[in-house]
Amino acid sequence: MEAVGQALSLNPKSSEAWYLFGSMRCRFFDFDAANRAVKELHAINDEHPLADVLAVEIALRQKDVATAQEVIGPALERYPTHRNLLALNAAVQAMTYDDVAKGKALAAFADLAPGNPLAEHTVGQALSDARQYMLAEPHLKLAIELMPGWSEPQLTLGELYVQWGKLEQAAAQLQAASSLDPFHKEITNQLTLVQEMLAYDTIETEQFVVRYLPGVDEVLARDVALHMGDMVDQFIERFQHDPPAMTQVDLMPDDQHFAVRITGMPDIWTIAACTGDVIAMTPPRPGPKRAYGAYNWLNVMGHEYAHVVNLSQTNNRVPHWFTEGCAVQMETTGRLWSQYMLLAECYNNDRLFEYDEINWGFIRPTEPYHRSLAYAQSAWIMEYIETTFGWDKALAMLDLYKQGTGEHETIQQVFGKDAQSFMAGFMDWAGKQVQAWGMTTYGVAPEDEALVALLSQEDAQAADLDTLEKASEDHPEHPELLKHLTERILLANQQELAIEVIKKYQAKRPVDPWADRQLARLALETGDRDTAIAALKTLDKVEGNAPEYAVELARVYRSGKDYDSALYYAERALLREPYNATYREKAATIAIQQGDLSRAAFHVESLALLEPDRVIHPKRLVVLYERLGQAEAAAAARERVKTLELLEND
């Protein structure tokens, strides 16, 4: 990119430089920059063939087949023998899943340039990007056969195998690519990673193969195998589909490994991704390398597994917004407060996406909040479909997507209306939702200076209690006044009155977890166990990455000798911090109190992985295994005790 910049500084009208700039930015999903290059090429020539080539490349990268078709037709009329346009036309036809049209387009290219692999590689690349791995593979193999010395199709096929989870084939293919181009960083990055991953250990269940780097990540791998199996039936029932292939889960040791696994280069913004039957994820732990801290890994895994199911049941043809909406709905946290605020803000200010804009929010956000809004609004639309029309309509949409039916046609067939009318109905429903959340914009007249002042946090804290109470009585529908009143009462340490007003606020704005945080604190202080538990349960659900609420629930239930509930929440804390030895020890202890020695042994085994030098863990395992009748495991643990004791004595 630096060299391209230098070239353009010397010749701002260099078509080749602008095309190279745009093509590279397109590859890394910087579509604004790529489209700028299209404009610059059109400025050089209104009918510039490289502008058309780049525009089609951008559309295919975004899986926007309709736009690609709009560009490629007129472009080929102007330049019927342009090799790149002919190759891209074959890719566009492939993306319509019309085998006859694809065959004709490939034949037209072969007539012009017999033996040239460009068209086969272009088709294979487009299909691979669309996760149509089985369809892409023969095209890439043919491209390699046509020109064995060209490294690009070798790399593309290697990357396809990586995304497909076929690591041995990927290693062989990337090695072949590396022998042709040993200085290509993407090839060497992917080859190094795949060779490392082939040495990973695995845990296999009925539905999953979990790969992990030997060492401490075995703790998370064991948890994945334990908990994900319990979730699968929910997904099968929800989507009426059981993926025929086992799902491979790749636990990458840090985000650099994860980024190379997904993109070929060591930089990425997310923590997990699905590429068909494969889920890759970074562990929720800190570390010396770049790694993420606590997050609810089961919530993330559920999100990604929804993609596995949707992609499988539609032959990878589900629209981006639809599968993201389904995935967010399948998360265990429910809608977060930040998402409520974002949706309400955008609804109140007419900033929600139109139907044709939602997919762009994921792949080409133009505002900092667009990607978050795309996720939240997609799930909101899925909720609208289910509550208004029934979930069977969502399943009908999935069936049509599998057949290759376009998005607008699917809306028309399922709901009997066009996309614009569908979204109008959604907007009416959304307005009622925002009102029920207590997040409608409340107009305040500028001349009402007293009310304007009270709505600011600083002035509300300075106001006397009587003034705030009077304002709340005069404006009973204004939840912000109730919230400020509560905060003022809390400052005055009037607990009983505070609880009464908090509940009024909660009735007006039931989605704000602030009320539950206050109720939990006050209830724990006053010994109101039932209120504390109810508030803590809500907080544990909606504060997705925070383990402390589950930890407190485990403590409360344990103190009341409800060991079943205590163990459930002790393990909920481990969903956020699976590497936390203190949480593990509490879970093991509660499991023993509950009488589940097998579960206790599971957690002590994890402790032995987390703290391999502590002799107490194998000592405990000896006892647990003996009580469970596992003589061989007890003998192995006893030998481990001897080894550690010898090391301690030395």
Side-chain angles (χ1 to χ4, degrees), residues 348-395:
N348 290 330
N349 292 282
D350 197 25
R351 292 178 186 166
L352 290 175
F353 290 120
E354 298 292 340
Y355 183 79
D356 289 326
E357 297 174 335
I358 302 174
N359 284 331
W360 299 121
F362 294 105
I363 57 179
R364 196 174 70 186
T366 56
E367 297 290 344
Y369 64 89
H370 273 180
R371 184 173 278 116
S372 297
L373 177 60
Y375 281 103
Q377 187 176 340
S378 295
W380 211 17
I381 293 173
M382 295 308 302
E383 183 184 349
Y384 165 66
I385 291 172
E386 182 172 11
T387 58
T388 306
F389 304 101
W391 185 246
D392 59 314
K393 296 297 186 183
L395 296 177

Side-chain angles (χ1 to χ4, degrees), residues 176-189:
S178 181
S179 67
L180 293 172
D181 192 350
F183 301 102
H184 194 305
K185 278 200 169 185
E186 192 168 350
I187 294 174
T188 56
N189 283 342

Side-chain angles (χ1 to χ4, degrees), residues 285-297:
R285 59 169 167 76
K289 293 184 179 180
R290 293 191 301 177
Y292 289 87
Y295 68 83
N296 190 326
W297 67 261

Side-chain angles (χ1 to χ4, degrees), residues 23 26-27 29 57 60-63 87-88 90-92 94-95 117-133 135-141 143 150-160 163 184 186 190 262-263:
S23 188
C26 170
R27 185 181 179 193
F29 300 97
E57 287 179 354
L60 287 176
R61 189 68 164 158
Q62 296 174 324
K63 302 179 183 65
L88 285 167
V92 172
M95 290 296 292
L118 177 63
E120 295 291 348
H121 176 251
T122 304
V123 169
Q125 179 74 70
L127 289 169
S128 179
D129 287 347
R131 295 173 180 160
Q132 299 292 326
Y133 306 128
L135 296 178
E137 184 183 28
H139 291 286
L140 295 172
K141 285 184 173 180
W150 186 25
S151 65
E152 204 62 27
Q154 304 263 14
L155 168 61
T156 305
L157 184 57
E159 290 179 325
L160 179 151
Q163 303 307 316
H184 194 305
E186 192 168 350
Q190 294 262 28
I262 298 301
T263 68

Side-chain angles (χ1 to χ4, degrees), residues 191-203:
L191 178 59
T192 300
L193 177 68
V194 170
Q195 289 172 335
E196 180 183 308
M197 289 181 67
L198 286 171
Y200 281 12
D201 285 340
T202 61
I203 296 176

Side-chain angles (χ1 to χ4, degrees), residues 218-538:
E218 184 179 349
V219 170
L220 179 58
R222 285 158 41 88
D223 282 358
V224 170
L226 175 69
H227 291 290
M228 281 302 294
D230 296 338
M231 291 182 63
V232 169
D233 289 344
Q234 301 172 28
F235 288 84
I236 295 173
E237 182 180 355
R238 176 71 164 167
F239 296 108
Q240 297 296 296
H241 178 76
D242 186 0
M246 293 185 72
T247 301
Q248 178 177 308
V249 179
D250 293 339
L251 301 179
M252 310 311 297
D254 54 57
D255 67 341
Q256 287 180 302
H257 280 76
F258 171 74
V260 173
R261 169 71 181 74
I262 298 301
T263 68
M265 299 299 283
D267 190 26
I268 200 167
W269 62 272
T270 190
I271 57 177
C274 166
T275 59
D277 296 325
V278 180
I279 297 171
M281 185 173 74
T282 56
R285 59 169 167 76
K289 293 184 179 180
R290 293 191 301 177
Y292 289 87
Y295 68 83
N296 190 326
W297 67 261
L298 187 61
N299 192 59
V300 171
M301 191 66 71
H303 180 111
E304 300 304 332
Y305 190 64
H307 292 325
V308 171
V309 176
N310 289 161
L311 291 168
S312 170
Q313 71 188 129
T314 62
N315 291 331
N316 293 3
R317 296 175 184 177
V318 62
H320 199 151
W321 77 266
F322 191 96
T323 187
E324 292 296 357
C326 290
V328 172
Q329 280 203 316
M330 294 304 291
E331 292 176 3
T332 59
T333 57
R335 185 175 288 121
L336 304 179
W337 172 237
S338 60
Q339 294 168 330
Y340 279 112
M341 289 192 292
L342 177 62
L343 290 171
E345 171 74 15
C346 289
Y347 175 84
N348 290 330
N349 292 282
D350 197 25
R351 292 178 186 166
L352 290 175
F353 290 120
E354 298 292 340
Y355 183 79
D356 289 326
E357 297 174 335
I358 302 174
N359 284 331
W360 299 121
F362 294 105
I363 57 179
R364 196 174 70 186
T366 56
E367 297 290 344
Y369 64 89
H370 273 180
R371 184 173 278 116
S372 297
L373 177 60
Y375 281 103
Q377 187 176 340
S378 295
W380 211 17
I381 293 173
M382 295 308 302
E383 183 184 349
Y384 165 66
I385 291 172
E386 182 172 11
T387 58
T388 306
F389 304 101
W391 185 246
D392 59 314
K393 296 297 186 183
L395 296 177
M397 294 174 77
L398 286 164
D399 286 340
L400 289 171
Y401 293 144
K402 181 179 181 179
Q403 298 168 30
T405 308
E407 290 195 55
H408 282 265
E409 293 85 351
T410 294
I411 291 288
Q412 186 68 51
Q413 288 189 41
V414 172
F415 300 103
K417 59 182 72 175
D418 59 26
Q420 186 175 0
S421 299
F422 171 82
M423 288 301 288
F426 164 72
M427 289 298 292
D428 288 343
W429 174 86
K432 295 172 185 174
Q433 288 269 297
V434 171
Q435 188 173 17
W437 299 343
M439 300 182 75
T440 302
T441 299
Y442 293 93
V444 179
E447 59 269 16
D448 194 342
E449 297 179 1
L451 181 56
V452 171
L454 286 175
L455 289 175
S456 75
Q457 181 74 23
E458 184 177 342
D459 288 346
Q461 290 181 349
D464 62 76
L465 197 55
D466 290 341
T467 300
L468 281 166
E469 286 178 337
K470 178 66 167 59
S472 295
E473 290 171 3
D474 292 342
H475 303 275
E477 299 303 315
H478 207 303
E480 284 299 323
L481 281 173
L482 279 171
K483 189 172 185 178
H484 288 320
L485 175 59
T486 306
E487 290 169 338
R488 184 67 186 80
I489 294 170
L490 288 170
L491 285 173
N493 202 29
Q494 299 182 37
Q495 292 182 339
E496 290 186 9
L497 180 58
I499 291 172
E500 179 185 333
V501 181
I502 289 169
K503 290 181 177 179
K504 287 182 180 179
Y505 172 73
Q506 199 170 42
K508 294 293 182 185
R509 187 172 283 170
V511 298
D512 186 354
W514 175 87
D516 285 295
R517 284 196 292 272
Q518 307 309 317
L519 286 174
R521 181 178 62 80
L522 292 169
L524 288 170
E525 289 176 358
T526 59
D528 185 349
R529 186 173 182 272
D530 291 342
T531 299
I533 286 174
L536 288 168
K537 281 183 176 180
T538 299

